[in-house]
Amino acid sequence: MSAALDTDELWRIVDRERTSLADLLDGLSPEEWETRTRCGDWRVRDVAAHLTIAARYSRGQVVREMVRAHGNWNRMIHDSAVREGALPVAEIAANLRSIVGSRRLAPTTSPREPLLDLLVHGQDIALALGRMRRMPPAAARDAADRVCTMRIPPRPWPLPKARLVATDVEFTRGAGPEVRGPIAALLLLLTGRQEAAREWAERAGESWTGVATGGTPE
């Protein structure tokens, strides 16, 4: 069975994820907006702002941000999120809600990247706040498949040296010590979030066997 969703279904899920995350943001306290996440120095407000940029920035704005970052893509991503994160929180949430229905993509990306970004960063926000945020299994499988197969843009995370087996959908990838768990937790592991993978599975009441960096079983 193909792990990839068809394009129309993929965008429908993106719209639902944007809407549900905006709903979560609307209910946050001022203190929760300032909560640090596991995304480097990004707070909840910075992560949320990052999720609005690809669909809002014109190519000209992207070029200007790249110039500011002296051509460093990762620095551009970081710095643009921090600048957008300085906006009033109501505006950040409104910006996220305003891109529901948008099909604009960041340069070099496919329609699969917005879904991957939303699913993973949505968990960065939820886990930092002690919330349980479910992932649609078919969507998480698509995103996990994208991580395993992406070449452009280059994958920023090394793949685990393990055989990953999902317990809730059909998904098996890799070789080495077997890691079994829900596809949402596997997606977090694939994107370099080992502790988040364990925490998500525990909160969901699911069994989980993880791997440490380099493939050593935990």
Side-chain angles (χ1 to χ4, degrees):
M1 179 184 295
S2 172
L5 300 169
D6 70 68
T7 302
D8 288 342
E9 178 62 13
L10 189 153
W11 281 118
R12 283 193 290 271
I13 296 173
V14 165
D15 286 343
R16 290 200 296 269
E17 290 294 308
R18 285 171 171 167
T19 299
S20 67
L21 187 56
D23 290 343
L24 185 156
L25 296 175
D26 282 340
L28 298 186
S29 68
E31 294 75 20
E32 286 175 317
W33 277 100
E34 302 299 328
T35 302
R36 287 286 296 270
T37 71
R38 293 171 181 166
C39 292
D41 62 348
W42 281 0
R43 301 157 296 173
V44 166
R45 64 191 301 145
D46 303 314
V47 178
H50 165 72
L51 290 172
T52 74
I53 289 174
R56 293 174 48 242
Y57 276 22
S58 67
R59 288 188 179 274
Q61 285 174 292
V62 173
V63 170
R64 286 192 292 274
E65 289 293 331
M66 282 296 289
V67 171
R68 274 182 163 181
H70 304 288
N72 185 310
W73 181 260
N74 289 330
R75 180 178 172 185
M76 185 273 285
I77 291 173
H78 172 274
D79 292 354
S80 61
V82 172
R83 276 192 289 274
E84 290 285 323
L87 293 171
V89 294
E91 188 172 343
I92 296 171
N95 283 340
L96 182 58
R97 202 176 294 281
S98 76
I99 62 174
V100 173
S102 172
R103 301 298 180 254
R104 176 179 283 177
L105 297 170
T108 77
T109 64
S110 77
R112 301 177 81 185
E113 270 69 46
L115 178 61
L116 169 59
D117 228 19
L118 277 161
L119 292 179
V120 173
H121 284 310
Q123 294 302 324
D124 290 332
I125 290 171
L127 291 172
L129 297 174
R131 309 287 182 89
M132 181 62 202
R133 181 171 170 82
R134 295 283 178 180
M135 281 195 214
R141 179 176 61 184
D142 183 287
D145 180 71
R146 179 58 177 158
V147 174
C148 291
T149 59
M150 68 194 305
R151 299 293 181 271
I152 299 175
R155 180 178 54 245
W157 317 281
L159 295 178
K161 297 177 181 178
R163 181 172 183 264
L164 308 182
V165 181
T167 53
D168 51 351
V169 293
E170 185 179 330
F171 181 89
T172 303
R173 294 289 188 280
E178 187 171 280
V179 177
R180 300 179 67 88
I183 189 64
L186 295 181
L187 174 59
L188 293 172
L189 179 64
L190 282 164
T191 53
R193 293 159 169 81
Q194 178 183 336
E195 291 304 316
R198 185 209 312 273
E199 186 177 345
W200 192 96
E202 288 176 352
R203 291 188 183 182
E206 302 279 355
S207 61
W208 169 250
T209 58
V211 291
T213 303
T216 303
E218 291 183 323

